[in-house]
Every structure is written in C-alpha cells, then in structure tokens.
Amino acid sequence: MKHLIFSLFLCLSSSLLGQGVGVVLSGGGASGFAHIGVLKALEENGIPIDYITGTSAGALVGSMYAIGFSPEEIEAYVLSNKFQLMSMGEIERRHEFLLREDDPNASLISFSFSGDSIFQKSLPTNFIRPELLDYEMLKLLGRTSAARYNNFDSLFIPFRCVASDIAGKKGDVFSKGNLNQAVRASMTFPFYVNPIRINGILYFDGGLYNNFPADVMYHNFTTDYIIGSNVSYNAAPPSDDDLISQLTNMLVTPTNFNLPCESGILIQPKSSVQTFEFDEVGKAILEGYNSTLLMIDSIKLLIPYRISKDSLNAKRQAFRKLIPEFTISEVSTLNEKGEDESYVRKSILKNTKNQVISERLFEKRYFRTYATPELKYLFPTLELKKDSTYKLNLEVKRSKAFKAEIGGIVSSRAINTGFVQLSYLRLGRLASTVKVNSYFGKFYGSGKAQVNINLPSYYPVSISGYMTLNRFDYFRSFATFFEDVKPSFLVQNETFAGVQVKLPIFNNSKNVFDYRHIELEDKYYQTTNFTNKDTADVTRFSGDALTLELEQNSLNRKQLASSGTMIHFKAKYVAGREHSIAGSTGTDDYDYRKNHQWIQVSAAFQSYVVSRKMFSVGLHANTLITSQSLFKNYTATILSLSSYEPLPDMQTYFLPEYRASQFVGGGINLIFTPRKNFDLRFDGYYFQPFKQLGINADGTFGYSKPFKGEKTAAALSGIYHSPIGPLRLTLNYFPAQAKPFLFQFTFGYIIFNERAIR
C-alpha cells in the first residue's frame, strides 16, 4: 500500500508542476563526472528534475540520482577511496582473501587458454578487474531496482540509459530490468572492462552508438524543457599513423549533440580531465558546477517553477524508506550452459528454509568466493521476494581450463633464471587446480608439482599435496656479465613432499598446517683451495617436519612493497638423521651418522607506518630461535641453519655471517616516489645473533659468546615498477665481504620455490 501511495504522490507532484524537466547526460569517461557538478548547481538554484537519461558515465551519475542520491552524496561517493579502487580494477584490502592467493613466484606475464584454442581465445577482454565495480553497482542500484519491481519509471526519478549491441550494430534503450545490469552495460568501455550479456545479447559502452541520448529523452518522456550536459565530442578523422584513431572511427558512430526541441539549453563543461583520469574527478565536478552557474540565469528564465532543497530531501527520505534492508534468503547460480554451479551457491548460502544473511555477511562471502582461482567472473542481480528479502542471481563464468605463467630473473650477475608454470583448473562440486612449475638457471633450478582443492563452505578450507625439488649452486656468483664464473664451491639439493591444510583467520590472514618428508644433500669444500680433481664433502639429511604457520599479509606487492602490513609466525618441529662423508680436501676422514631433532620458532613483521603518494616509511623486523644441535663440521652446520635475508639479493649470495641458530634483525625502508611507478628506495638493516657459530683457533668449531657477531646490511635502489615486473638498479652493502659494495641490475622478481626446512 505504501508503494502505491508514494507513486501517486510522485504523479500528483509532477502534474501540479507541469509536464516536467528532463536532463540528458552524455558519456565521457572521467570527464563525465562533471555532470555531478551540473546537478549540484541545478538543485542549489531550485531547478526541478523530473526525468533523466544518460550514457556511460552519464548513465552512472544519472542512475544514482534517479534512485534518490543527492548530488552531494554522489560527489562524496566518487571522491571516496572505494570508488578510486573500482576505477583502477582493485578491491579493498579487507576483501583480499589470502587463503586463495597463489604462493608468490617469479612470474612476469600470464595468460589463460582453453584446450581447443591456445591463442584465439586467450587474449584478455578487459584491463581492470570488475568485481568491486559489479558488487557496488548491485548494492547501490540493484537493490533499489529490485524493490521498485525493476521498472525504471518507478524510481525516484524516471530514468533511461543506452548500451550498444555490437552484433546488431545499434544502441538499445533500457527502461526496465535490473538497473545495475543496464548501467553496467552502458559503461562497459571496450577493452577497459569486460562486456556483459543481457537476455543473450553482448553489450558494450552506450557511447559507441549514442553518446548523448537527447533523442531518448524526447521519445520516452513528455517534457516541457530539456537540459543537456555534454562533455563528449565526435572523434577526429583517422590518421595514417595513429592506430587508436583508426579503431575509434571504426567502432564509434558519430553522435548528434544538439537538443531535439526549442525549449532546451545545452551545458558544455570544458573539462580538461582525460577519459581514464578518475583520480581527477573532483576537478571535473567543479568544472561542471562552474559551467552551470554561468548559464543559471538563462536556465531560470527558461524554466519558471522551482523546488526547494528541503522539499526534495524530504521526498528522497520518503523514497528510501520504501527500500527493504539488503538481506538475502535465496541464491541461484547458473553458468554459461544454464547449469547450476553448486560450489558457488554453497559458498554463499545453502538453500535451507528460514536462512537469511545480512549485507555484511554476504559481502564477506561474495569476495571470498570470487577469489577462487577456478572462477573467472561473477555477475550479480537481485529479485525482491514476497517476504521483503532478496533472491540473489549469479551468472557464473568459469576460468579457462589452462593457465600459463612465464617469468624469471635477468641480472648483470650470473644468477639469470627462467621460470614457467602451467596450471589446470577445474570447477565442479569442488574447485581444484593442478600446477607444475620449473625454474632453470646456473644458480638455481627447481621443479614443483602441486594439487590444490578448495572446499565449498562458509568457512573455507584448502587442502594441497605437493612435491618440490630445489638446487642451489653457489659458484662465487659475485661475477658480472664481464667476469668469468669460478667453479662451484657449494651445491645444495633438496627433495621434499608433503600435504598442507589451510584455514582462514580473517580475509588477509591464514593458518597453515604442513607435514613434509625431506631429503637434503649438501656438497661443499671446507677450503677455498680446491681443483676439479678434488671431491667435495657431502652431508645428507633425511627426516620429517611438522609446521604451524600463521600469516597476515596486506602488502601491496609480492616484492619491494611500499604499503601494507605483513605479520608472519612459524613453529616447526624437525626430526631426522644426518649422514656426513668426508671429501678429498679435508684433514679428517670420516663417515658420520647422527640423529637430530629440534624445534624452531620464527617471526617476521613488516609495516609501512607512513604510506603517502610520494613517500613511504616501513619498519621490518625478524627473529628466529632454534634448538638445533651441531652437525659434523662447521660448514655442514652453517648450511643447515636459516639465514637472515631481508634484502632480495641476499637470497642469491652465500653469506655465512648472516646465519645463526638464534638471532634478531631489524631495519627501516625509506621510499621516495617522484613519479608514478618509480621508486627511489633505501633499505638499512641490523643483524644481531644471540649465538654466532664460528671456527676456533685450534680448528674446532662452536658458538661464540652471547651477542657477538653483529652485522649491518643496506641497499640503495632505483626501481621502475613496469606493468609486468620491477626493473631495478641496486647498490648493496655487505660489510663483511671482500668487496662490501656490490652493484647489480635486475629485471624480475627474486622469488624461489619454498625451501625444505631452512
């Protein structure tokens, strides 16, 4: 009954005031947010708005106004951090789900493909991730649309928008249906955000065929006056050497930016904001506001009647009271073949009687489900049920069956390494992925096979089995491209296999329970004076390890981060048997066996306490304590210990001075960002062992007095964060080395497969 009364109230108001004022909003990307300033100036001067049509950015602004948002509320929303993340294709950090993220690796590029096509169906159709955009459109527009029976004439302001049917080569006008779906179709800029289907038709940006829907206003509504706001223009003729201009002229139909009646006025804000400069929308809003004020006297002469701000806000409040709370009591999930995707449905809501979830709980489960690697895309719409709860309809698109990742490290030092990973992804009652990867190079070689299974549940669980082979070949790798590489003095081989169970704590944190069986082999010389005819000492260790790991991670990059926080705790129990055999260079001939067992606890903390656009300050701390006993000789023992490696390049050197059974380390990260994606970075660290392993004067070895052997380490880097990976020039400082200052160029990520136990 209250819905009927409000509708009659709107009709009566319109008839008393006359046939009404229509507002037409053009497309224009980020510059289109000048329309907010136009609406703001009109409202401040009492100009009524009875109908609204829009395309692309104009459709978004117009739809928000049509569901009862004031211009000030729309302005606050598009200036928010959430909207900026939407425009960049990112999500809020609280929604990033660490449990479902892949372990960091050295990949630089990736592409997905199907079994029947490696290239044709592998090219990406979108530049940004749309999940936050689609969720926000559902929450803002879809909820109100469903409550008003998906009739755009029943909104606070009757509304129309335009999207482009590419196959039919025409623009379609939306007057009913899911509002979030229609507006999303209207603002689907080709290659920037993926297109969507409505009733089987694939839609793109409405501006391709009608970038200023004044004709839609004229033919769909009976108006006395039309106010147009246009920030767009027709493309210039194509240039011989400009591919973009050629594609634009092929895709875009010229638009008539004139109003189709005499009783109209056109506002044309001269916006300097470019199509994708969404961080400049505040500037566009001001330009729209000022342009409208320059014409406001003419508008007042054209339109004789007024509406007060207080009266308009009272109507908005009355309209909003008609919209039920955002609660979901039913979920339907269909894939492209019209089949139920039970994994997605059961991850959000089991269709049992009397089960209702709130907006907060749905939001949490939605983004957790979306993070499943086997899922490519979800598009949500709503239906209002008789009990005033909502039914959620999800269109589900599976990820392509295969994914390839390629990367590695290119360096001025002899640590160049290639990386390739191939994954097979399958979504059914479970979500599962099989992955194999390989690192290959002189310094590092590795192979890993892994099977991941994600279970559909409100409390997600991930189970994986894996096997890894690692080989590190330390061959005096301080060499550059222009120096000869000396023979290897240390080779470490690792083989281990195990199973992991991962559980979330919060979205950015997880528990990991791990069991693995390990086989280690270290080949080394205990002197620097050896030849190719000498045989190395060998230490083998065979055993098992149980690990409990807790991690919270919101760092913005997998390496060389500049914002966010990481907290990591690991407790490990290891038991196994050492077998050491003497080589030809030692003074002692031995064949040594000993059982070992120990507990190791480590913790790491990194947080960028200051994170600004041009400057960041980070704090980084590590500690480790182990009860590990000594192995047969100094080198075997030092190799078995974990090392302090806060700088990426430290992973590629053998630096015994930063290895200890118990230590604490800390440092500071200073990052200056003079231009976007370019960092000048200083990292300085202090390492304090509780007990330092050393060789005594009589040739024996053991631990020094407590708190001896402190060291520093530092790096000064210039880094360009390219779209595929970091390009870095670094001057490292390791004071205990013969050459303490070590310069290198690196492209890519210095990230390796996980070590067995050290």
Side-chain angles (χ1 to χ4, degrees):
M1 187 68 181
K2 62 181 181 180
H3 293 271
L4 178 61
I5 294 173
F6 186 78
S7 297
L8 290 173
F9 173 72
L10 287 179
C11 293
L12 180 61
S13 299
S14 178
S15 62
L16 290 173
L17 292 173
Q19 290 180 322
V21 177
V23 171
V24 181
L25 306 178
S26 75
S31 63
F33 292 97
H35 303 320
I36 300 171
V38 173
L39 297 173
K40 186 177 180 180
L42 293 176
E43 275 205 5
E44 287 178 356
N45 286 274
I47 306 299
I49 299 172
D50 301 293
Y51 310 102
I52 196 160
T53 64
T55 291
S56 194
L60 176 60
V61 174
S63 64
M64 293 183 71
Y65 191 82
I67 64 170
F69 275 68
S70 70
E72 291 78 12
E73 289 172 324
I74 303 173
E75 179 180 22
Y77 183 79
V78 301
L79 292 177
S80 69
N81 182 62
K82 182 181 291 185
F83 180 83
Q84 293 303 313
L85 291 173
M86 284 168 51
S87 67
M88 294 184 292
E90 299 177 8
I91 62 175
E92 295 173 279
R93 284 186 180 164
R94 65 190 178 96
H95 292 320
E96 292 174 350
F97 195 33
L98 186 64
L99 183 75
R100 298 269 167 79
E101 292 182 7
D102 286 337
D103 294 331
N105 59 43
S107 64
L108 298 172
I109 59 173
S110 66
F111 59 93
S112 300
F113 57 94
S114 302
D116 60 346
S117 173
I118 294 180
F119 181 74
Q120 183 179 356
K121 297 180 182 178
S122 301
L123 295 176
T125 58
N126 54 291
F127 179 72
I128 67 167
R129 294 163 52 187
E131 52 257 55
L132 181 59
L133 169 65
D134 290 338
Y135 177 79
E136 286 295 306
M137 294 300 96
L138 177 80
K139 187 172 71 172
L140 295 173
L141 307 179
R143 173 188 167 197
T144 302
S145 171
R148 302 304 292 163
Y149 311 107
N150 288 327
N151 182 345
F152 297 177
D153 287 334
S154 298
L155 301 175
F156 181 70
I157 303 291
F159 173 74
R160 300 288 187 272
C161 67
V162 179
S164 297
D165 173 4
I166 296 295
K169 301 189 184 327
K170 61 186 178 71
D172 283 352
V173 178
F174 289 91
S175 62
K176 60 183 179 180
N178 300 109
L179 182 61
N180 64 305
Q181 197 174 39
V183 172
R184 171 67 164 78
S186 182
M187 55 191 289
T188 300
F189 195 91
F191 307 114
Y192 188 72
V193 63
N194 63 297
I196 64 170
R197 289 187 182 273
I198 302 177
N199 299 324
I201 298 174
L202 193 67
Y203 283 103
F204 284 87
D205 194 290
L208 297 179
Y209 293 128
N210 188 348
N211 211 18
F212 186 64
D215 58 327
V216 176
M217 176 66 72
Y218 187 78
H219 291 108
N220 280 259
F221 300 114
T222 304
T223 58
D224 289 324
Y225 311 99
I226 296 177
I227 300 172
S229 176
N230 175 43
V231 295
S232 192
Y233 54 88
N234 288 319
S239 173
D240 293 345
D241 57 356
D242 188 342
L243 177 62
I244 299 299
S245 71
Q246 295 168 16
L247 290 173
T248 301
N249 278 269
M250 282 191 287
L251 293 172
V252 180
T253 300
T255 295
N256 181 1
F257 293 108
N258 296 315
L259 295 174
C261 62
E262 294 182 359
S263 298
I265 193 164
L266 185 61
I267 303 168
Q268 294 183 292
K270 300 300 181 184
S271 179
S272 58
V273 178
Q274 299 300 307
T275 302
F276 299 113
E277 290 183 336
F278 293 101
D279 56 340
E280 297 288 344
V281 292
K283 183 178 180 182
I285 293 169
L286 183 61
E287 291 167 341
Y289 181 80
N290 291 334
S291 296
T292 306
L293 290 182
L294 291 175
M295 303 184 69
I296 200 66
D297 290 338
S298 299
I299 295 171
K300 286 180 176 180
L301 289 174
L302 180 71
I303 301 171
Y305 38 88
R306 303 284 178 269
I307 184 169
S308 71
K309 190 81 170 177
D310 289 343
S311 174
L312 195 55
N313 285 333
K315 290 181 180 180
R316 285 194 176 105
Q317 293 303 316
F319 179 81
R320 290 180 181 181
K321 289 180 180 178
L322 302 177
I323 311 303
E325 274 188 65
F326 191 0
T327 55
I328 293 174
S329 60
E330 186 178 349
V331 176
S332 171
T333 55
L334 296 177
N335 61 25
E336 295 168 295
K337 297 179 181 179
E339 302 167 337
D340 175 42
E341 289 287 8
S342 62
Y343 174 88
V344 177
R345 176 168 47 80
K346 291 178 181 179
S347 297
I348 295 177
L349 180 73
K350 292 182 180 177
N351 289 330
T352 56
K353 291 183 179 180
N354 302 320
Q355 187 180 23
V356 178
I357 58 173
S358 65
E359 176 187 338
R360 183 193 63 81
L361 193 55
F362 165 63
E363 181 179 54
K364 178 180 179 180
R365 292 178 182 176
Y366 176 83
F367 284 102
R368 284 187 168 187
T369 304
Y370 216 134
T372 305
E374 295 80 7
L375 275 173
K376 181 180 181 181
Y377 185 58
L378 298 175
F379 190 82
T381 54
L382 293 171
E383 294 178 32
L384 186 67
K385 299 174 67 175
K386 291 182 179 180
D387 61 359
S388 294
T389 63
Y390 291 93
K391 176 186 177 184
L392 173 71
N393 297 306
L394 282 173
E395 295 180 22
V396 180
K397 190 170 185 179
R398 299 179 179 184
S399 295
K400 289 183 171 67
F402 297 96
K403 179 181 179 182
E405 299 172 72
I406 300 171
I409 307 161
V410 177
S411 177
S412 58
R413 289 176 50 228
I415 59 168
N416 299 285
T417 306
F419 171 80
V420 61
Q421 178 166 285
L422 182 64
S423 303
Y424 171 71
L425 301 92
R426 186 178 183 278
L427 184 67
R429 296 177 65 182
L430 305 174
S432 57
T433 298
V434 179
K435 321 188 251 197
V436 291
N437 74 32
S438 177
Y439 288 83
F440 42 92
K442 168 64 177 170
F443 166 69
Y444 177 63
S446 180
K448 181 177 181 179
Q450 185 171 1
V451 179
N452 291 334
I453 298 174
N454 291 311
L455 306 179
S457 61
Y458 307 151
Y459 191 76
V461 179
S462 178
I463 302 172
S464 63
Y466 59 88
M467 181 174 181
T468 304
L469 291 83
N470 285 325
R471 184 177 189 272
F472 288 87
D473 187 345
Y474 295 92
F475 46 87
R476 297 297 180 192
S477 55
F478 288 84
T480 68
F481 280 140
F482 309 105
E483 296 180 63
D484 292 330
V485 174
K486 296 180 179 180
S488 303
F489 69 96
L490 166 60
V491 176
Q492 292 187 303
N493 290 293
E494 302 180 340
T495 301
F496 59 98
V499 61
Q500 287 184 341
V501 178
K502 301 178 184 179
L503 304 170
I505 306 173
F506 302 107
N507 275 5
N508 289 126
S509 56
K510 63 182 179 182
N511 279 328
V512 180
F513 300 92
D514 181 287
Y515 162 77
R516 64 185 55 171
H517 177 74
I518 54 179
E519 298 285 342
L520 311 181
E521 181 185 75
D522 295 340
K523 296 182 179 180
Y524 51 90
Y525 295 96
Q526 297 190 63
T527 176
T528 57
N529 298 317
F530 62 91
T531 68
N532 292 333
K533 296 180 181 180
D534 288 316
T535 58
D537 290 53
V538 178
T539 295
R540 298 184 178 92
F541 183 83
S542 176
D544 302 278
L546 289 170
T547 302
L548 167 63
E549 186 176 356
L550 308 176
E551 182 181 2
Q552 188 272 332
N553 195 332
S554 62
L555 297 178
N556 64 331
R557 300 188 183 105
K558 60 183 177 181
Q559 199 165 62
L560 304 167
S562 59
S563 66
T565 297
M566 180 276 295
I567 301 172
H568 187 263
F569 171 84
K570 183 181 287 188
K572 183 184 301 181
Y573 170 76
V574 181
R577 185 171 178 80
E578 172 197 356
H579 182 195
S580 294
I581 304 172
S584 62
T585 59
T587 58
D588 184 15
D589 186 16
Y590 58 85
D591 187 332
Y592 178 81
R593 290 173 172 83
K594 182 182 179 181
N595 291 327
H596 296 269
Q597 58 179 346
W598 66 87
I599 295 174
Q600 179 174 301
V601 177
S602 62
F605 170 79
Q606 185 171 20
S607 181
Y608 288 88
V609 292
V610 176
S611 183
R612 302 287 184 265
K613 187 175 182 179
M614 296 186 66
F615 187 68
S616 298
V617 178
L619 301 176
H620 193 179
N622 299 73
T623 188
L624 180 143
I625 299 174
T626 179
S627 62
Q628 180 179 334
S629 55
L630 299 176
F631 279 47
K632 170 60 180 174
N633 55 59
Y634 167 81
T635 307
T637 305
I638 204 76
L639 289 174
S640 69
L641 297 177
S642 296
S643 58
Y644 179 59
E645 298 172 338
L647 299 172
D649 295 331
M650 296 178 78
Q651 299 178 63
T652 65
Y653 294 106
F654 178 62
L655 302 171
E657 64 270 25
Y658 297 102
R659 291 175 178 249
S661 60
Q662 299 174 16
F663 65 79
V664 64
I668 189 169
N669 316 111
L670 304 177
I671 304 165
F672 175 58
T673 307
R675 299 188 63 179
K676 184 178 180 181
N677 295 326
F678 180 76
D679 291 341
L680 293 174
R681 182 182 185 110
F682 171 78
D683 302 286
Y685 290 94
Y686 179 83
F687 170 72
Q688 177 62 70
F690 300 157
K691 294 189 299 181
Q692 181 77 58
L693 189 68
I695 301 176
N696 302 319
D698 60 0
T700 61
F701 70 101
Y703 289 112
S704 65
K705 293 181 180 180
F707 301 103
K708 297 293 183 181
E710 62 274 10
K711 296 290 185 297
T712 57
L716 182 63
S717 304
I719 308 165
Y720 170 62
H721 297 279
S722 78
I724 59 175
L727 188 70
R728 176 168 58 95
L729 291 174
T730 299
L731 181 64
N732 290 304
Y733 174 63
F734 307 132
Q737 295 299 311
K739 296 180 180 179
F741 290 98
L742 304 164
F743 175 81
Q744 74 179 69
F745 157 83
T746 305
F747 174 62
Y749 297 98
I750 299 181
I751 298 176
F752 306 124
N753 281 332
E754 185 184 10
R755 301 295 297 264
I757 55 172
R758 31 199 168 193

